Amino acid sequence: MGSGARASPGGAELGGSGEPERLGAQARWPLGAVPGAEMATFFGEVVVAPSRSGVDDEEEAREETPEDREIRRELEKKREVDVHWTLKSGATAESSAGEPFVCSRFIVAIGHNAAAFLSSFILDSVCWEVVGVVKLWNEWCRASNTTNVLPTDSFCLFYRLISDPTVLLCQCSCYVAEDQQFQWLEKVFGCMQKEGLQVTILSTCPVADYKTQESTLTLPSPFLKALKTKEFKEHVCCPLLEQPNIVRDLPAAVLSYCQVWQIPAVLYQCYTDVIKLDTVTIEAFKPLLSSKSLRSLVKDASESTKILKKLLTTNETHNNIYI
């Protein structure tokens, strides 16, 4: 079971009651647990899975051959997350690793539809510049450190507003595996000053994952729900996420990180019944354009429509190759 952030009864806040078990930390249940196996007693508890072989970890370590260790090291190295910052002309973040840069607003779009929303309604090549890329590999994606990407590519790019360098955007359409999420968080947020930082997260999720007493067939899909940290005090642009719903994967990891570090953050999750790049799903995020963090960044509406059509046309052309 991956990391998850749970909606609390206190207004869908993460950690609404200040209890540590609501921080959305990783909770683990043993796969194929046998009767009598120890289970988690509250959300966020870490439980060590019992060994199926009947031997402890030390005995397993002694049985590992040099070839096994070499293979494991190579796999761990291959799964490392590399974040390359270019914050100044010709300078990288590594050259000023001891000097975190100031960031007042950090907007993270996770998934193809959320990333396409930023491309259509916020990003403008005249106003924004690419200042960072992520390179990672796992079973589900291979993201390179290139900035020339198609809407269907797996990529993670960072943009900075030229007129206000403290405003940062991230488009992350690549899958970040559970064992890579901590690396992603540490290497991205580790370069930022956390004081005065506010985070907005956009993501999508299948409507089938939404838990409600009603039938999901009657829900007006797509629709938005919000989940926020305790420190986020601003108005949210949609209804709050109800119990017993949770969010998973990188959106949950970012929100949990912000809760632990007491960073004001809000997650806007779009529940949709379309998994591919889709106009209706992209436009479901439009209510966020009136939010305090985004309204000053909105570009011309006519240009937004043109870019959205271009993105979808490129996506359809690319998909036709495989028909």
Side-chain angles (χ1 to χ4, degrees):
M1 186 174 178
S3 58
R6 183 184 298 274
S8 75
E13 286 184 355
L14 197 64
S17 61
E19 299 163 340
E21 58 265 29
R22 296 190 183 276
L23 296 182
Q26 184 179 33
R28 294 179 183 172
W29 281 263
L31 297 175
V34 297
E38 184 182 2
M39 300 296 288
T41 56
F42 59 84
F43 181 76
E45 180 184 12
V46 176
V47 177
V48 178
S51 173
R52 298 182 183 182
S53 61
V55 296
D56 57 27
D57 294 338
E58 292 181 358
E59 289 176 342
E60 289 183 356
R62 284 197 294 270
E63 293 173 2
E64 188 178 43
T65 65
E67 292 80 5
D68 292 336
R69 285 194 295 271
E70 182 64 24
I71 292 171
R72 179 167 51 80
R73 281 194 296 265
E74 288 298 320
L75 283 174
E76 289 174 354
K77 184 177 180 180
K78 191 173 185 179
R79 295 180 72 89
E80 287 182 0
V81 177
D82 295 321
V83 182
H84 303 275
W85 294 100
T86 307
L87 302 173
K88 297 178 182 178
S89 179
T92 61
E94 287 80 1
S95 62
S96 57
E99 303 175 5
F101 59 84
V102 177
C103 183
S104 61
R105 280 181 285 173
F106 185 36
I107 301 157
V108 188
I110 301 170
H112 288 289
N113 283 299
F117 171 75
L118 288 189
S119 293
S120 303
F121 296 94
I122 302 295
L123 282 171
D124 187 326
S125 59
V126 178
C127 301
W128 298 84
E129 60 180 348
V130 177
V131 293
V133 295
V134 171
K135 182 178 181 181
L136 62 85
W137 175 93
N138 56 52
E139 295 83 354
W140 296 100
C141 85
R142 181 178 297 173
S144 63
N145 55 356
T146 180
T147 59
N148 299 317
V149 293
L150 292 170
T152 51
D153 289 344
S154 294
F155 63 92
C156 186
L157 299 177
F158 298 91
Y159 299 84
R160 182 170 59 183
L161 187 63
I162 296 174
S163 60
D164 183 359
T166 67
V167 178
L168 214 64
L169 292 185
C170 172
Q171 287 182 304
C172 184
S173 69
C174 61
Y175 174 73
V176 182
E178 184 178 325
D179 62 311
Q180 297 173 315
Q181 291 169 11
F182 181 75
Q183 292 184 62
W184 193 97
L185 294 168
E186 287 291 297
K187 293 182 179 181
V188 171
F189 283 97
C191 292
M192 302 179 192
Q193 289 185 10
K194 296 175 177 62
E195 185 178 355
L197 173 63
Q198 181 169 301
V199 178
T200 302
I201 311 154
L202 285 64
S203 72
T204 55
C205 181
V207 71
D209 289 352
Y210 182 67
K211 294 177 174 59
T212 177
Q213 293 181 349
E214 307 174 41
S215 170
T216 54
L217 297 175
T218 63
L219 294 173
S221 175
F223 59 91
L224 286 174
K225 292 290 182 177
L227 186 63
K228 61 192 180 73
T229 63
K230 188 177 180 181
E231 289 73 22
F232 188 86
K233 304 300 182 184
E234 294 181 8
H235 171 73
V236 293
C237 302
C238 65
L240 296 169
L241 188 64
E242 311 91 340
Q243 283 193 323
N245 288 285
I246 63 173
V247 294
R248 298 181 175 87
D249 300 323
L250 188 60
V254 175
L255 197 65
S256 297
Y257 184 93
C258 292
Q259 174 67 26
V260 171
W261 286 94
Q262 299 181 337
I263 300 170
V266 59
L267 164 65
Y268 290 107
Q269 181 141 284
C270 177
Y271 289 88
T272 178
D273 53 5
V274 181
I275 59 174
K276 64 179 182 179
L277 206 60
D278 171 61
T279 308
V280 179
T281 302
I282 294 170
E283 292 186 336
F285 287 105
K286 287 178 74 173
L288 309 186
L289 297 176
S290 62
S291 66
K292 187 176 180 180
S293 60
L294 292 182
R295 64 189 176 204
S296 63
L297 307 176
V298 180
K299 61 186 180 185
D300 181 67
S302 60
E303 284 296 315
S304 299
T305 304
K306 291 178 184 177
I307 293 175
L308 181 56
K309 289 181 178 179
K310 183 178 178 181
L311 281 172
L312 294 172
T313 302
T314 305
N315 180 53
E316 290 172 0
T317 303
H318 186 264
N319 287 338
N320 287 339
I321 297 173
Y322 302 98
I323 294 178

